[in-house]
Amino acid sequence: MGTAQLTAVPEPKYWHLRTVLLRAIDSEFATGEVIPNERDLSARFGVARATLRQALDQLELEGRLVRRRGIGTLVAAPRVGVPVSRREEGWPGGGPEQSWQTVDCAIAPATEQLAAALNVPVGETVYTVRRVRLNQGQTVATESLHVPDSALASLPEIRSAGSGADEGRAVLRRLERLTVDGESRAVELGVAEADEAALLQRPPGTPVLVVTTQFASGGKLAALAVATYRADTCRLTFGETGLVEVTPVAGTVRTAS
Amino acid sequence: MGTAQLTAVPEPKYWHLRTVLLRAIDSEFATGEVIPNERDLSARFGVARATLRQALDQLELEGRLVRRRGIGTLVAAPRVGVPVSRREEGWPGGGPEQSWQTVDCAIAPATEQLAAALNVPVGETVYTVRRVRLNQGQTVATESLHVPDSALASLPEIRSAGSGADEGRAVLRRLERLTVDGESRAVELGVAEADEAALLQRPPGTPVLVVTTQFASGGKLAALAVATYRADTCRLTFGETGLVEVTPVAGTVRTAS
C-alpha cells in the first residue's frame, strides 16, 4: 500500500476548523476555562455559525469541550484512566476503596437472547444486578451483571432482607464464593440506552464504551457483565503487568511525528 | 441511589425513532439488505425527514446501518471481533496469518510531546513505523509504533535496502529480538485524524477506538504503539484465558432483561 492514498480523502471544512480550534484551546485556555461564545468564535475564524457548531459538537464528542447550560462552553478536564480488571469488579465488594454501588436486582426468566448469551435454557431464572461505578464522586459507568440460577445454585444461600439493592448485594456476596477460572473481555463503541443514560445522568444516545465480560467457572459460563463507560470522560486501562503505568498520552501525540 | 431517577432524563424524539427502527431492522431485514428510502420511511413512521435522518445517522454511528452512494442504506454486517494482544501485534511479522502491513517509517527527532510520552530527551531520534491491520481483506486499523533510538541501540543492526516500508520492516525485525517484560494498554474513544482516515479509507472524524500500548523492556519503556480501530466495524477482544471465547452479544441483550 503506497502513501499516495494519504491525500485521497478530502478534509471537510468543519474538520479543518476543529483542528485549528483544538490548537487554540491547547495554547490559550486552561482546563475549566470558558471559551468565547459562538458569535465571537465565528467572527475570529471567519466561518459560518453552522460550521463552527459542527466543529464544537465534534470537540464535545471527543471530550475536549463541555457545554454547561447558563455558563457556556468550557475546556474539559483530561479523561480519567479507569482500570478494568477483575480486582476492580468489586466482588467481594465493601471496603473503603469500593467504587461500585448496587442499584437494584431483577429476577426474571431468561429471554431467548439472554439465554443464548448465557448458554442456558430459555426461561431459566436469571438474576440481573445493576450497579454504577463512581470515580471521584462522578458516575463513570453502569453495569448489568447477569447470573443464571444454575451458577448460583452451587453457592451457599444468603437471604436478602429486602428487595432491589439488598437483593443485588446478596447475589454479589454469593458470587464471592465462586471460583473464577478465567474471563474474557470485549470492548466496543455503543450509545447509552434510556435506562443506562439515566443512571449516567446523560442524555440517551451519549457515546459509551461497552465492556462485555464473560466469567467462567468449572469450564462453564457463570456470569456475564455488560458495562457501559462514559466515552467522553473515561479511558479504560488494562495493566497486564505492574512494570509500566500507562500515562495519559495527549491526543496530539498521534499526529506529533 | 433509587430508581426514581430512571425517568428523569427525557427521551428525544429521534432516539425513540432509532429504537423503533432498530426493532424493524432486526425483524424485517437481513444483513446487506437495502432498507426503504427516507421518503418511504418518514411516511411509514409519521416523522419529519430531519428526525428520520438523525435516527439514521445514529444507527450508522452504531454500526447497524451503512450508507452506500448510488445504492442506498444497507443493514450492516455484525461487528468483527478483533483480538488485541501481543501475539497479534505482528512482531515477529511474516507468516501467512500476518495481518499487519507496513506502510512507511519516519525517522525524526522527538518533539516535546513525544519525548514526554516515551520518556526520552527532546530531540532523541525516534523511529515511527506506520502499519495497517487487515481483517478479511478490509482495513480495520492503522497504527503508529514509536521506538526511540536508545531502545533500538542494544539490538543487532539490520540494514534496510530502501526507505519507507522497507525501513519500517527493518525496525520491526530488530524489535523481534527485544525482550518484552510487560505491556499495558489503554482504550478510549477518538476520531480519525486526516492521515489515519486516509489509511482507513474513511472520512476524517470517523469514530475510532484508540488503543495505546506501552511495551517495557529491562524496566524501561521501549516502544509506544498508538493504534486506531474503526469503531463502526470492530469490537476489540481481550482473551485473558483460553477457557471461554467471547461470543458476539447483540446490543439488545443490554436491554433484554
Side-chain angles (χ1 to χ4, degrees), chain A residues 15 18 58 79 113 184-189 191 193 196 214 216 236 238 240 244-246 252 254, chain B residues 18 58 79 113 184-189 191 193 196 205 214 216 236 238 240 244-246 252 254:
Chain A
W15 184 258
R18 166 257 179 206
Q58 181 62 41
R79 284 183 183 154
Q113 277 188 318
S184 50
R185 255 190 209 93
V187 178
E188 65 190 309
L189 177 61
V191 289
E193 303 285 344
E196 296 163 337
Q214 295 181 316
L236 308 179
F238 300 83
E240 294 183 15
V244 194
E245 273 300 298
V246 171
T252 35
R254 282 164 56 200
Chain B
R18 166 255 178 208
Q58 180 63 40
R79 283 182 183 155
Q113 276 187 318
S184 49
R185 252 188 211 96
V187 178
E188 64 189 308
L189 177 61
V191 288
E193 304 284 344
E196 297 163 336
Q214 295 181 318
L236 309 179
F238 300 83
E240 294 183 13
V244 196
E245 273 300 299
V246 171
T252 35
R254 282 163 57 200

Side-chain angles (χ1 to χ4, degrees), chain B residues 85-91:
Chain B
S85 71
R86 203 152 99 63
R87 205 162 47 87
E88 303 293 336
E89 291 297 325
W91 319 348

Side-chain angles (χ1 to χ4, degrees), chain B residues 9-216:
Chain B
V9 179
E11 192 176 65
K13 203 164 186 176
Y14 89 93
W15 184 258
H16 177 71
L17 177 62
R18 166 255 178 208
T19 309
V20 171
L21 275 173
L22 200 50
R23 234 172 271 148
I25 291 166
D26 281 341
S27 60
E28 299 172 33
F29 298 93
T31 295
E33 215 173 317
V34 176
I35 67 168
N37 64 31
E38 291 189 4
R39 191 182 320 171
D40 292 351
L41 285 175
S42 61
R44 169 170 168 187
F45 294 104
V47 293
R49 285 285 273 276
T51 308
L52 176 71
R53 220 167 278 145
Q54 217 182 339
L56 293 175
D57 284 349
Q58 180 63 40
L59 288 170
E60 196 182 11
L61 176 80
E62 292 176 47
R64 303 300 298 258
L65 294 176
V66 194
R67 284 178 172 126
R68 289 266 163 75
R69 209 172 292 179
I71 299 179
T73 303
L74 285 70
V75 177
R79 283 182 183 155
V80 180
V82 183
V84 176
S85 71
R86 203 152 99 63
R87 205 162 47 87
E88 303 293 336
E89 291 297 325
W91 319 348
E97 76 294 351
Q98 175 66 333
S99 59
W100 288 95
Q101 287 185 359
T102 305
V103 176
D104 57 21
C105 178
I107 306 172
T111 59
E112 203 169 317
Q113 276 187 318
L114 195 54
L118 289 170
N119 204 17
V120 298
V122 175
E124 176 171 331
T125 299
V126 174
Y127 293 76
T128 298
V129 181
R130 283 202 310 169
R131 304 189 295 171
V132 291
R133 183 172 182 170
L134 302 177
N135 194 308
Q136 299 166 9
Q138 261 228 322
T139 304
V140 291
T142 171
E143 183 196 71
S144 289
L145 177 67
H146 305 284
V147 190
D149 193 43
S150 50
L152 280 182
S154 61
L155 302 170
E157 193 151 349
I158 293 176
R159 293 213 171 258
S160 143
S163 60
D166 279 332
E167 182 71 46
R169 279 187 286 267
V171 171
L172 292 172
R173 278 202 301 276
R174 293 180 74 181
L175 283 177
E176 287 173 39
R177 313 294 188 92
L178 190 74
T179 310
V180 176
D181 316 317
E183 64 205 66
S184 49
R185 252 188 211 96
V187 178
E188 64 189 308
L189 177 61
V191 288
E193 304 284 344
D195 58 338
E196 297 163 336
L199 288 171
L200 293 173
Q201 294 162 302
R202 300 286 299 160
T206 297
V208 288
L209 294 167
V210 182
V211 181
T212 309
T213 311
Q214 295 181 318
F215 298 95

